[in-house]
Amino acid sequence: MASSLKKNLAVLFGASCTALSLALSVAAPVHADEEPGGAAVACSTTPTGNTSRRVDNFDGRYYRVYVPAGIPAAGAPLVVAIHGGLGSPEGIEAQSGWNAVARQQKAIVVYPRGSKPEGSGWGWDAGAGAYDNTHIKKVVADVRTKYCVNPNRIHLSGHSNGGQMASRVACEDPAPNPGIFASGAVYAPAPPPTGCNPARAISWGVFASAADLTVPEPIAYSHVMYWSWENRPCQNEQADGGTDVKDSRRWDCASGTRVLWRVYNDGGHNWPPEPRRTEILNRMWTLFQAHPRP
């Protein structure tokens, strides 16, 4: 049942949303200069200032990284915020509000760039075997060599095609160690990965808007089905709160993980403005805090 639904969703969405497309796998990077269970030796806590810093000529692209003042030398959480199709690191940095969360929580945020030129921006190839999966892990490894990152608190977030990409990266995050990503939460994600078997269960949150015409509610909900299956069994369904929501639920899973779903009334495909934006980010962060890498 679950596999046939995934196939139907892929057919439904694949023909009409090339810009929301696909990505892949690689072994987790090894950090020889990392102390067991801690941040890299001689890592930096130097802030990037009021905004992010652009890192050019990295793996044929660039990325942006934001480091607020006051991150702990023992290692700060790292959020990997992945832009959507036709998007850019600058776009999701401006729209998502993750920098404000980072300042409050003393976390680092990195904004990688997609590989596929799309309009004035880029998109991601989230298909099995694509290099974008490898690239994101290289970006994470580069940030970890420069800044003090808690290796048990590396989280994924994404919008649209970037939400699809986040699911692919998490799905193909291999053992051992056990993989590098702790948990993830996405907004309006394009269809989830197919042909992928995660090395371990991972907590996941999915957020959507009922009036989104680009990624309709059933498409976004397919991520809930996907991660519920990969974390199976997930039971103990409970209401998950929120303001002006059409549906809001969470499930506790046997492995100690959690899957949550929240769809708001009205809205659209773009990352929501205030006050909904802050509510979504706060719920994502609560999930991240509760579910570090085991």
Side-chain angles (χ1 to χ4, degrees), residues 52-56 61-65 90 113 122:
S52 64
R53 180 173 72 88
R54 176 167 164 151
V55 178
D56 287 310
R61 310 182 205 178
Y62 74 91
Y63 67 84
R64 302 196 72 94
V65 60
E90 292 81 4
R113 200 211 80 186
W122 294 272

Side-chain angles (χ1 to χ4, degrees), residues 120-143:
S120 60
W122 294 272
W124 299 94
D125 184 352
Y131 184 73
D132 276 352
N133 190 357
T134 301
H135 175 76
I136 288 174
K137 291 171 185 175
K138 284 186 175 183
V139 168
V140 170
D142 195 54
V143 172

Side-chain angles (χ1 to χ4, degrees), residues 11 38 52 54 108 123 125 136 139 145-146 186 203 205 216-217 221 223 226 237 245 248 254 256-257 268:
V11 171
S52 64
R54 176 167 164 151
I108 300 169
D125 184 352
I136 288 174
V139 168
T145 63
K146 295 173 179 174
V186 296
S203 294
E217 186 180 331
Y221 189 74
H223 278 259
Y226 176 81
E237 179 180 303
V245 295
S248 181
T257 54

